[in-house]
Amino acid sequence: MNIRPPKSMPTLPAVLHDVRAWLHQYVSISTEQATLITLWVAMTHALNGFDFAAYLHITSPLPECGKSRVLEVLETLVPKPWHTSRVSAAVLMRKVDAQHPTLLLDESDAAFSSEKEYAEALRGLLNSGFHRDGKASCCVGQGANLTFKDFSVFGPKAIAGIGRLPATVESRAIPITMRRRTRDEPIRRFRKRDATAEGAIMRDRLAALLAEQVERLTLDRP
């Protein structure tokens, strides 16, 4: 699938159709799952129109089911992607507060089974970060200057890992359950340089088209 600039800007439905078809090239998922992921990607480009941002939970019962590949593909499509699997609790809160990235968190099962301080900090960030006023508190400073700060942690987040999330985080997430593909389900080899260039075209089209919809989305009361 070659993504080429059109002579004029395509419509939003056409771009969403292209994104869904492109997802199918790299990961073995159902049409319904591809549709959900595509709409989630669109949400990341119109975030100012939302008070809540549901997470994506990309899960499987076994390794090697394509979870990390989904995050790699999303990295090419979403605004300000931050693809990571392990950072300190302090970096996690500070970067989300300062940059409001689209967090693409891999290996969540390892993160939640790691040391208690990090696991609880991650859980706190995810519990609060799905709504616009969400805050996570952390100590800052040293010695006599030690105090606390409330970090703004709202933003879109896709979480990949084996098994289930903590219940409070799972209730904020849309589950995408993966399975190992069979031999008769061929997919395109993911070459980051090519995928980044193709994904950037669709990402920029979504950003331009959805910027026109933010005010209407803000006023909508579904």
Side-chain angles (χ1 to χ4, degrees):
M1 178 179 178
N2 294 320
I3 309 295
R4 297 179 178 178
K7 294 181 180 180
S8 60
M9 178 64 74
T11 64
L12 181 57
V15 178
L16 293 174
H17 184 276
D18 287 345
V19 170
R20 186 174 66 178
W22 201 63
L23 285 167
H24 274 302
Q25 290 193 50
Y26 289 116
V27 288
S28 180
I29 50 178
S30 69
T31 300
E32 292 79 10
Q33 288 173 323
T35 298
L36 282 169
I37 296 172
T38 298
L39 293 175
W40 184 86
V41 169
M43 182 270 296
T44 68
H45 287 281
L47 193 64
N48 288 337
F50 292 85
D51 292 326
F52 296 88
Y55 304 149
L56 275 187
H57 180 209
I58 304 152
T59 183
S60 70
L62 299 168
E64 300 179 6
C65 290
K67 300 182 298 297
S68 297
R69 180 54 42 80
V70 173
L71 294 187
E72 289 178 316
V73 175
L74 289 176
E75 188 176 7
T76 72
L77 295 169
V78 300
K80 294 187 291 184
W82 182 24
H83 188 180
T84 185
S85 59
R86 186 66 167 86
V87 293
S88 71
V91 169
L92 186 67
M93 290 188 183
R94 283 167 171 78
K95 182 162 181 173
V96 172
D97 176 78
Q99 300 181 4
H100 293 285
T102 301
L103 179 62
L104 307 174
L105 181 65
D106 207 353
E107 300 180 5
S108 62
D109 49 314
F112 281 113
S113 62
S114 64
E115 62 266 25
K116 184 176 179 180
E117 180 182 359
Y118 176 73
E120 288 302 314
L122 178 60
R123 185 200 304 261
L125 182 148
L126 295 174
N127 282 348
S128 301
F130 82 109
H131 63 91
R132 183 164 295 280
D133 296 328
K135 300 288 191 298
S137 301
C138 184
C139 290
V140 295
Q142 294 180 341
N145 295 321
L146 187 66
T147 184
F148 69 91
K149 178 180 176 180
D150 292 332
F151 292 91
S152 173
V153 291
F154 174 66
K157 301 169 180 66
I159 309 161
I162 295 174
R164 302 187 66 170
L165 293 170
T168 52
V169 180
E170 198 169 76
S171 68
R172 293 153 167 76
I174 300 166
I176 303 293
T177 303
M178 308 285 293
R179 58 171 177 79
R180 288 181 179 173
R181 66 184 178 90
T182 61
R183 291 185 177 181
D184 60 352
E185 295 177 302
I187 59 172
R188 180 181 176 188
R189 182 180 294 276
F190 185 85
R191 300 186 185 279
K192 188 172 180 62
R193 182 179 298 178
D194 295 337
T196 298
E198 293 178 5
I201 295 173
M202 291 181 286
R203 181 196 64 216
D204 293 346
R205 290 175 185 172
L206 284 175
L209 289 163
L210 286 162
E212 303 170 357
Q213 304 295 326
V214 170
E215 182 177 358
R216 183 180 66 79
L217 289 168
T218 303
L219 296 173
D220 278 348
R221 296 294 181 267

